[in-house]
Amino acid sequence: MGRQPCCDKVGLKKGPWTAEEDKRLINFILSNGQCCWRAVPKLAGLLRCGKSCRLRWTNYLRPDLKRGLLSEAEEKMVIELHSKLGNRWSKIASHLPGRTDNEIKNHWNTHIKKKLRRMGIDPLTHEPLVPSANDLLHQEQRQQVGASADGREGNDKVSEEQQGEEENITSAVDDAFCTDEVPMIQPHEMIAQEIQLPCMEWPESVCLWGLDEPNGWGFNFAQGDEQLGLDPFTQWQRTGLDQETWKFELF
DNA sequence: AAACGCTTCAACCGCCCACTG
DNA sequence: ACAGTGGGCGGTTGAAGCGTT
């Protein structure tokens, strides 16, 4: 007997979430907390499956998420953790506050993998790359090209690719671990009050207003009476403060 | 300006595991 | 012990954006 789908998919919406759907989901979770994802879409008035709601919340709507590319320090940590844990993205993500497994997985596949290869490191084993038979063939071809006067004909593509790759390796070593911080969503675009990090559950005291104007939402981060800017991760890294004690505050 | 190819990442899919009755 | 269920996880997909020709 086959497994039942996680929800009845007939009539359910798929694809990108609209602002209205986001608003409904946020409203519901802020009012009721995280429970029984299967029931969430029905109760929140969403034509989505529970899994889709959970994913949207954990990967995008959660207020404690950091946005933008991984910092140099985070990237190094991901590489180190990956060498120990392998593709256990959720475990890796648990070491990086405000980052999701999906985000780290995507960043690994699109940025870090390439970067490691260019540096001559196998992203799977974290060992120095052993040249493949194909690489050796290219090397041989290049040597032949260099040796013969009319060698360029028919070998242009190979030698150019090889040259390009070599340039990449050089530049990759030069700018290793240089990541551009391009925040996609400003911290002041999210809203909540008194959320303990890194707890993902919304405390009952959490209240919300201004949902009609998401762009007007804002966070402030504080420890005790001290206002410490908009980036708690950087702050507690720099100051060595205990992240458990951080609070979000509405401003 | 248009066509094409490449890159990125949000979202989906399906499997696995823990829990419960 | 077993089957059903919910949630979590990792792999994959595809639309959108961007760069190049």
Side-chain angles (χ1 to χ4, degrees), chain A residues 5-17 21 37-43 45-53:
Chain A
C6 72
C7 45
D8 181 6
K9 296 192 176 179
V10 178
L12 290 187
K13 193 169 175 288
K14 283 170 71 173
W17 280 64
E21 287 177 309
W37 285 108
R38 187 175 232 191
V40 166
K42 197 172 268 184
L43 297 171
L46 290 161
L47 290 171
R48 296 276 181 173
C49 87
K51 235 177 177 181
S52 182
C53 293

Side-chain angles (χ1 to χ4, degrees), chain A residues 187-202:
Chain A
H188 65 268
E189 289 175 357
M190 299 300 286
I191 180 173
Q193 189 175 31
E194 288 203 355
I195 303 164
Q196 297 287 326
L197 284 176
C199 175
M200 301 308 156
E201 298 283 342
W202 286 86

Side-chain angles (χ1 to χ4, degrees), chain A residues 115 118-120 166-177:
Chain A
K115 196 174 272 188
R118 288 202 305 264
M119 293 168 71
E166 278 181 2
E167 281 166 9
N168 280 342
I169 291 168
T170 316
S171 63
V173 170
D174 287 342
D175 65 4
F177 299 113

